[in-house]
Amino acid sequence: MSEHTALEQSILGEIAAAPDEAALEAVRVGALGKKGSVSALLATLGRMAPDERKTAGAAINALKDRVAEALAARRDVLKAAALEARLSAEKLDITLPLRAGPTETGRIHPISQVMDELIAIFADLGFSVAEGPDIETDDYNFTKLNFPEGHPAREMHDTFFFAPGADAKRKLLRTHTSPVQVRTMLAQKPPIRVICPGRTYRVDSDQTHTPQFHQVEGLVIDRTAHMGHLKWVLEEFCKAFFEVKTVKMRFRPSFFPFTEPSMEVDIQCRRQGGEIRFGEGEDWLEILGCGMVHPNVLRNVGLDPDVYQGFAWGMGIDRIAMLKYGMPDLRPFFEADVRWLSHYGFRPLDFPTLAGGLSS
Ligand code: DAH
């Protein structure tokens, strides 16, 4: 065996035995690199006589080509094997169930759900949503709503007052959403049709009262709005909200400083065990206060009561949520207990619509 053949076989043997691409690269450098064995053979050509160089040159170059070819072939094999190994190591079973994401596990609080339901119902009746601040002035919360200074109705509101400001006036946490009526009438010309959902505050705490709670106010002002419209709007609302075909309502005379006449509204229901069913039964349940907007309130916001008239109502959102969804205690609403929320909460992508069903 010539010296060349022995070298070639030894290199080809190393190539065949290289276990991975790094080892193969080491073989390539050892043979074809600057200081490699094949390069050393080529370097001997310079010292040969021209004739000898011709034959030896051809033989060494052919050897070099065969080595290069063997390297390339082995590299392809190793590359394919490495890819195969990686593909099987990184295998992913896409038939495994996904871990539930936030849209699956998160829940919408019943208060937010009921607000969305209210907005869906009243938007369908042509109402828009108005908002006001939680921290109110005495003027908007009481005076402009026709609560005269020193009137006992102010005391009934158990108000949280702030310390007097530089102007000696005390701000307060709004005790009802009615000041948003005032803000809306000051900002907008009639016709007005708004609902005002939001947070309200009173110094009160037991199973059905929390210091912070929620109300929704409704207000309609135009030239002709009358009590027949008020009753119809409330009846349509109750049917849609409680998802029943008919409801019987009872309007009882009452008193609010900002409406005249004023009424409290009861709806017919049946109490069975701990459950309440609407649209049937012999019992009555109070759900809201309402009335025709008092002429003094219209005057206080610069509207002429001989031209404009309208009606308003106010309702506890927490209360109607408890009634609709059978929650006996109000306090857990504010406790942020995920167990309660996952029981009573709503799926985030099931947004309430009248067409799709409010609560289904
Ligand atoms: N603001 C009243 C309350 O908190 C509720 C209310 C009653 C609002 C009659 C109204 C209304 O707009 O007309 O008790």
Side-chain angles (χ1 to χ4, degrees):
M1 196 183 337
S2 80
E3 190 190 332
H4 290 180
T5 318
L7 178 65
E8 181 173 347
Q9 286 198 348
S10 130
I11 296 173
L12 293 180
E14 282 173 38
I15 289 173
D20 54 35
E21 286 181 87
L24 187 67
E25 177 61 9
V27 176
R28 186 193 68 78
V29 173
L32 305 184
K34 256 193 208 151
K35 293 179 182 158
S37 49
V38 177
S39 310
L41 272 187
L42 283 168
T44 61
L45 293 176
R47 281 176 261 120
M48 291 180 189
D51 273 359
E52 196 188 351
R53 186 186 302 151
K54 221 177 189 177
T55 45
I60 297 172
N61 273 314
L63 182 154
K64 184 182 163 194
D65 289 347
R66 286 192 297 277
V67 167
E69 227 171 78
L71 279 168
R74 181 71 184 150
R75 185 171 299 123
D76 286 348
V77 170
L78 290 175
K79 259 210 168 86
L83 180 65
E84 190 57 40
R86 196 170 153 206
L87 283 177
S88 59
E90 292 180 5
K91 194 163 61 183
L92 188 71
D93 184 353
I94 56 166
T95 64
L96 282 175
L98 284 179
R99 190 150 38 126
T103 50
E104 276 303 311
T105 51
R107 286 293 176 268
I108 299 293
H109 194 287
I111 294 290
S112 306
Q113 165 78 14
V114 166
M115 285 200 188
D116 290 340
E117 292 181 17
L118 289 166
I119 291 168
I121 295 168
F122 282 107
D124 190 58
L125 293 172
F127 285 71
S128 51
V129 174
E131 287 182 306
D134 291 13
I135 298 176
E136 256 307 356
T137 61
D138 190 277
D139 187 39
Y140 285 174
N141 196 80
F142 291 126
T143 313
K144 283 208 165 34
L145 286 165
N146 197 36
F147 286 78
E149 299 277 352
H151 191 282
R154 287 187 179 225
E155 308 312 317
M156 287 163 60
H157 275 218
D158 302 315
T159 311
F160 285 107
F161 286 102
F162 289 88
D167 57 359
K169 289 186 176 149
R170 290 186 302 179
K171 287 208 168 165
L172 49 81
L173 287 173
R174 66 180 179 192
T175 57
H176 51 176
T177 41
S178 304
V180 189
Q181 283 190 28
V182 173
R183 290 178 174 273
T184 306
M185 287 187 280
L186 286 171
Q188 232 167 282
K189 288 266 153 292
I192 292 171
R193 244 184 266 160
V194 290
I195 58 163
C196 326
R199 280 188 285 266
T200 45
Y201 307 82
R202 289 188 200 182
V203 186
D204 208 352
S205 186
D206 60 32
Q207 187 174 345
T208 51
H209 296 89
T210 46
Q212 189 253 298
F213 56 107
H214 302 83
Q215 286 191 342
V216 60
E217 192 80 11
L219 175 71
V220 171
I221 302 286
D222 59 26
R223 289 165 192 264
T224 56
H226 56 65
M227 255 178 35
H229 298 143
L230 166 63
K231 291 175 94 168
W232 180 83
V233 166
L234 293 178
E235 197 172 310
E236 287 306 302
F237 161 72
C238 284
K239 282 193 291 188
F241 180 73
F242 291 110
E243 301 179 53
V244 289
K245 287 215 169 59
T246 56
V247 288
K248 267 205 197 133
M249 304 178 79
R250 187 166 77 172
F251 288 74
R252 281 182 289 106
S254 184
F255 171 79
F256 300 104
F258 36 90
T259 43
E260 181 58 38
S262 302
M263 289 153 289
E264 275 174 322
V265 178
D266 302 332
I267 57 170
Q268 181 198 34
C269 65
R270 165 169 295 144
R271 288 195 175 88
Q272 253 174 352
E275 233 185 75
I276 299 183
R277 293 188 163 279
F278 296 97
E280 54 183 78
E282 303 301 320
D283 298 318
W284 294 98
L285 195 95
E286 182 195 323
I287 58 158
L288 60 90
C290 63
M292 299 302 294
V293 177
H294 197 293
N296 285 348
V297 174
L298 295 173
R299 276 187 209 102
N300 289 342
V301 295
L303 292 176
D304 180 351
D306 291 328
V307 178
Y308 293 110
Q309 58 189 45
F311 54 84
W313 70 92
M315 190 161 48
I317 293 181
D318 317 77
R319 181 167 163 75
I320 60 169
M322 286 169 78
L323 290 173
K324 179 168 180 180
Y325 293 112
M327 294 171 283
D329 192 335
L330 180 62
R331 288 165 296 194
F333 276 52
F334 303 91
E335 283 169 1
D337 183 336
V338 282
R339 293 164 302 179
W340 183 87
L341 195 57
S342 62
H343 180 76
Y344 286 113
F346 294 82
R347 296 164 65 85
L349 296 179
D350 293 346
F351 197 79
T353 61
L354 288 181
L358 285 180
S359 61
S360 50

